[in-house]
Amino acid sequence: KCTYAENALRMMGLTHNFAPLIVFCGHGSSTENNAYATALDCGACGGRHGGSNAKILADIMNCSKVRMQLARNGIKIPETTKFLAAQHNTTTDEV
């Protein structure tokens, strides 16, 4: 979990100046009877919705043990910072 968290934060360039609320937003679509439906979903998620990945990452980032290890590795997340997950529907543009 710690490696996943650290790599994700470093890839995003999010290693300091944390806001009180950080939202990881996956994306996906909603279609019916569409043979190309997965083309509208997240390619990085294997043609699936990305909301579950956002939720898992937010849960990992909110874990106190993970934050302690991140602090040892130079990424100090304030206790007041909370991570939330969302999903953007690319068909309806709703979150």
Side-chain angles (χ1 to χ4, degrees):
K1 288 181 181 180
C2 296
T3 300
Y4 186 74
E6 182 173 353
N7 288 342
L9 291 172
R10 290 194 187 282
M11 283 191 299
M12 289 184 270
L14 184 59
T15 58
H16 60 283
N17 296 327
F18 290 90
L21 178 63
I22 297 173
V23 178
F24 296 122
C25 189
H27 67 273
S29 64
S30 59
T31 61
E32 292 183 28
N33 198 23
N34 183 344
Y36 303 103
T38 58
L40 301 171
D41 291 332
C42 182
C45 299
R48 304 273 187 227
H49 291 197
S52 57
N53 289 342
K55 183 179 185 315
I56 291 166
L57 184 57
D59 287 345
I60 289 171
M61 295 297 182
N62 286 323
C63 176
S64 59
K65 290 180 181 180
V66 169
R67 288 185 183 209
M68 287 183 347
Q69 183 60 45
L70 288 172
R72 287 186 210 112
N73 294 351
I75 301 175
K76 295 173 179 66
I77 302 171
E79 287 184 27
T80 56
T81 296
K82 302 295 178 213
F83 294 88
L84 294 179
Q87 180 166 294
H88 174 232
N89 185 324
T90 57
T91 305
T92 63
D93 203 27
E94 295 174 326
V95 177

